[in-house]
Amino acid sequence: MHRRRVAAGLAGALLASFALALYFGDYPVGLPEIVRSLLSPITGHADKGVDFIVLQVRLPRAILAVLSGAAFALSGITFQTLLRNPLASPDIIGIAHGASAAAVFCIIVLGWSGLAVSFGAFAGALLTALAIYLLAWRGGINAFRVVLIGIGVAAMLVAAISYLFTRARLNEVQQAMAWLVGSLNASRPGDVLVLGAAMLVLVPLMATFIRGLDAIELGDDTARALGARVELARLGLMLVAVGLAAFATAAVGPVGFVAFVSGPLARNLLRGAGRGFLHAALVGSLVMLVSDLVAQHSLPSVQLPVGVVTGACGALFLLWLLVASGRSGRVN
Amino acid sequence: MRARRAARLALGLLALCGALVAIVVLSLATGARAIPIEAVWAALTAFDPTSSEHRIIWDLRLPRTVTGVMVGAALGLAGAVLQGATRNPLADPSILGIHAGASLAVVLGVALLGMTQLTSYVWLAFTGAGAAMLVVYSVASLGRDGATPVKLALAGAAITAVLHAIINAMLLTSPRTLDEVRFWQVGSLSGRTLDIVIQVAPFLALGTVLALGSARLLDGLSLGDDVARSLGQRIGLSRGLAALAAVILAGASTAAAGPIAFVGLTVPHVARAITGPGYRWILPYSMLLAPILLLGADIVGRIIAPPGEVQVGIVTAFLGAPFFIALVRRRKLAAL
């Protein structure tokens, strides 16, 4: 019962923010016009100016925010659940850094732009995840070891990015920098299609693998006793989670902290009533959408990238977690 | 048995001193233009202002090498002290937010005050590092059980994220600042002058004295808070003193060379592997090992990609990270 109420509340908030995202902007469009424009493919109504603003600019951006937020969140909560450690989200253990380093390499050394950069980022994330997995494998996977090795790999990748920055022209550095912070400012319909298609495949896959999770959550020993199917579910979930993180990063850049905060926030709302993958996805979408609204409209004349807002908010969340856990006398 | 061990460790320290001298000479001799050892010696003992080789040694390589020795020693000590004070094997100036604080201060100085001189970075970086560590420590102290190791590390990560969000916003809106700091931010020893060395030297000296003096306190803390308390040690005071030493050392070294990660993290682990537990030996070993690593990395960076050079901060990351990963793989996690 509680689960449903939380999910309904989150979905309502998400819908309201979505409407706000279509409504707000430099060019004022009234609600009736928005509805008319959204229905225009069916009704045949056409007001070129309004349609362009709503269908070509604001709608793709809002959809991309919802999709990427959900993808980051699902990836994060999967890692956190599998490794039983809140620090083990892809933006902290170096997978996002792999995508970043690959993208900066594509922009600065290969001179790519647009969707090509996204595919480079995707490959980078996959390779990094594979490297971390192999390095952390020692007759099994241990959460603490994954986090530590991820931090080490991330440091190397950051150094590589810094090196590329010192070797490039200033405008290339600026372009790479904007990508690095994570932004929806340049969302293209192509990004929406690629990410949407990927999620259409990955999310159902994830749902089937999640059933194997119950055994994993009982602890490594119990899980081992249950045998190979658990290992398979674990590996499958890991791959799906990497895929989600990689596609989302490829589409919008390594937006910080969304993967990290969504799972714990959802669990907090649920107060122990279940695992909450769906709730985490809703939280992720909501965080992304609201952060982007703030980033777009908080400063006059400047469009901040969404990553600046999520970085600040995510850090505040981490601080709150610290204070709250200090009060209750335990950490995590 | 104990005396033999002490003698062995003291001998090891002497050997490290020798290695440090050797690498200093190597650092003076290598570069875009290799200079024979005899010429290095002649430049140091009988300076001839008309000789271009002598000028290179005195104007470029000597300040660079001295900076490397000082920054290296400071980073090694800072890392060891932080790891001891927080009982956290992952403690490092970059993980506890000190580097990010220094970076933000420099970025603000460049963006808002238009500072462009390395010598003016010194004071900015120092202030920022100190402020960040203070904030991290206060935040970690919130709540009932005070600044535990886990909370310190988490608070450091959180503050670092906030600071980086602000830094990124500044850099994105000000191309001039981005151009100015992208070289400093990497961590480098090139282009340092004796002015900078002289400015940070007093801070480094103070920090070194404080750090070496806290060895006994760190040994007490390493037994665990309860044991240390029952032995009559004032834990908060010990931890605060050690943190102060680390901030002074890390802040001043960041000011001089930019944020160099991984030296403070890895060197104390190597030192501990040689000496065993016991900060009376770990601290001096770290203090000698770190500049050897840093100068070695700097030399590699100078010859690896001619005609340019790879900044030392990048070389240390590429040397330090695999080492760190190997360490994590090899050791029992309980021992971390």
Side-chain angles (χ1 to χ4, degrees):
Chain A
M1 206 49 224
H2 181 60
R3 288 174 59 83
R4 262 193 221 155
R5 237 178 323 186
V6 173
L10 285 172
L14 187 59
L15 211 63
S17 329
F18 198 86
L20 280 180
L22 294 182
Y23 177 73
F24 267 124
D26 289 339
Y27 185 85
V29 182
L31 267 181
E33 287 171 285
I34 292 174
V35 174
R36 220 176 300 142
S37 196
L38 287 179
L39 293 176
S40 67
I42 306 166
T43 58
H45 159 89
D47 177 340
K48 284 228 171 77
V50 174
D51 283 359
F52 177 77
I53 296 283
V54 173
L55 296 179
Q56 299 292 314
V57 179
R58 291 185 196 163
L59 189 65
R61 183 176 188 141
I63 294 178
L64 197 60
V66 169
L67 289 181
S68 60
F72 278 129
L74 284 174
S75 174
I77 194 174
T78 305
F79 274 103
Q80 288 165 334
T81 310
L82 279 179
L83 297 170
R84 272 176 279 131
N85 190 323
L87 282 176
S89 81
D91 44 353
I92 295 193
I93 63 169
I95 293 173
H97 298 82
S100 307
V104 171
F105 182 82
C106 291
I107 293 171
I108 288 178
V109 178
L110 304 178
W112 292 0
S113 63
L115 272 182
V117 175
S118 301
F119 281 106
F122 175 73
L126 274 187
L127 277 177
T128 311
L130 187 70
I132 293 172
Y133 192 82
L134 290 177
L135 285 170
W137 179 269
R138 240 186 70 175
I141 282 292
N142 170 297
F144 198 35
R145 201 159 51 224
V146 170
V147 174
L148 292 186
I149 285 179
I151 289 175
V153 170
M156 269 174 96
L157 293 168
V158 168
I161 293 172
S162 310
Y163 178 65
L164 289 173
F165 272 11
T166 64
R167 286 298 156 105
R169 283 191 298 275
L170 185 58
N171 63 335
E172 290 169 333
V173 175
Q174 273 181 291
Q175 194 195 340
M177 188 77 203
W179 191 91
L180 271 186
V181 180
S183 172
L184 293 163
N185 291 347
S187 12
R188 294 169 302 261
D191 291 322
V192 178
L193 284 180
V194 173
L195 181 58
M199 288 179 76
L200 222 52
V201 176
L202 291 174
V203 174
L205 260 180
M206 174 173 262
T208 60
F209 284 129
I210 282 176
R211 284 189 219 128
L213 261 187
D214 293 319
I216 294 177
E217 285 219 307
L218 294 173
D220 274 355
D221 293 335
T222 319
R224 211 161 284 139
L226 288 169
R229 283 201 25 209
V230 174
E231 282 304 321
L232 192 72
R234 198 202 286 262
L235 186 67
L237 271 177
M238 202 83 100
L239 284 178
V240 171
V242 170
L244 283 173
F247 275 109
T249 308
V252 298
V255 178
F257 281 104
V258 178
F260 174 68
V261 302
S262 299
L265 262 181
R267 276 167 200 244
N268 246 305
L269 290 172
L270 286 173
R271 289 197 301 260
R275 209 181 281 122
F277 275 67
L278 171 71
H279 300 76
L282 287 170
V283 170
S285 295
L286 190 61
V287 166
M288 197 76 170
L289 203 50
V290 173
S291 300
D292 189 42
L293 280 174
V294 173
Q296 276 185 81
H297 306 300
S298 59
L299 291 182
S301 79
V302 184
Q303 279 220 351
L304 285 177
V306 64
V308 171
V309 177
T310 60
C313 296
L316 290 178
F317 173 77
L318 197 55
L319 289 181
W320 170 78
L321 208 68
L322 284 174
V323 176
S325 63
R327 214 180 292 128
S328 67
R330 65 190 175 82
V331 174
N332 303 338
Chain B
M1 196 57 206
R2 257 190 83 147
R4 281 237 323 256
R5 181 170 165 268
R8 193 171 54 83
L9 287 175
L11 215 64
L13 272 185
L14 263 179
L16 282 184
C17 287
L20 184 58
V21 171
I23 205 144
V24 162
V25 174
L26 202 61
S27 168
L28 292 174
T30 40
R33 175 170 171 187
I35 297 177
I37 307 283
E38 305 87 68
V40 172
W41 181 250
L44 293 179
T45 50
F47 177 59
D48 172 9
T50 57
S51 154
S52 66
E53 285 186 345
H54 289 197
R55 292 223 70 100
I56 290 175
I57 298 270
W58 275 94
D59 295 345
L60 300 175
R61 296 203 189 152
L62 197 64
R64 178 179 195 145
T65 305
V66 172
T67 310
V69 171
M70 285 174 35
V71 165
L75 284 172
L77 270 180
V81 166
L82 282 174
Q83 286 174 17
T86 60
R87 271 198 295 132
N88 184 339
L90 302 178
D92 174 85
S94 58
I95 288 170
L96 294 186
I98 299 177
H99 280 161
S103 295
L104 178 60
V106 169
V107 167
L108 285 177
V110 174
L112 303 180
L113 307 175
M115 293 182 168
T116 53
Q117 292 298 309
L118 274 174
T119 45
S120 52
Y121 287 5
V122 171
W123 294 98
L124 291 171
F126 189 71
T127 317
M133 185 68 198
L134 256 183
V135 174
V136 168
Y137 199 82
S138 327
V139 167
S141 308
L142 289 172
R144 210 172 50 195
D145 42 358
T148 63
V150 179
K151 280 167 68 184
L152 259 180
L154 282 176
I159 301 290
T160 301
V162 177
L163 298 178
H164 274 143
I166 305 173
I167 291 174
N168 286 335
M170 307 272 334
L171 292 184
L172 272 173
T173 47
S174 166
R176 186 181 55 80
T177 310
L178 177 60
D179 199 26
E180 193 70 45
V181 302
R182 68 179 157 140
F183 294 97
W184 177 83
Q185 232 186 349
V186 178
S188 168
L189 297 176
S190 71
R192 270 54 190 172
T193 60
L194 286 173
D195 282 2
I196 297 174
V197 171
I198 291 163
Q199 274 195 51
V200 296
F203 291 111
L204 292 177
L206 175 68
T208 305
V209 170
L210 269 178
L212 290 176
S214 67
R216 230 168 50 83
L217 299 174
L218 293 176
D219 281 333
L221 286 176
S222 70
L223 299 171
D225 284 8
D226 293 337
V227 178
R229 205 175 283 132
S230 71
L231 288 173
Q233 191 171 331
R234 290 170 64 187
I235 300 181
L237 191 70
S238 309
R239 211 161 251 158
L241 207 66
L244 182 67
V247 164
I248 294 175
L249 288 169
S253 67
T254 307
I260 295 178
F262 268 108
V263 175
L265 187 70
T266 51
V267 162
H269 285 282
V270 181
R272 204 173 289 117
I274 302 173
T275 66
Y279 279 88
R280 257 180 311 154
W281 290 108
I282 293 177
L283 290 177
Y285 266 80
S286 300
M287 189 179 163
L288 289 174
L289 278 168
I292 294 174
L293 171 69
L294 196 68
L295 280 184
D298 189 43
I299 293 170
V300 170
R302 271 186 262 169
I303 54 181
I304 202 172
E309 62 173 69
V310 181
Q311 286 84 351
V312 67
I314 290 155
V315 182
T316 58
F318 272 82
L319 292 174
F323 177 87
F324 173 71
I325 290 168
L327 203 74
V328 172
R329 276 181 59 81
R330 209 188 47 195
R331 291 227 289 185
K332 282 206 180 72
L333 285 167
L336 282 168

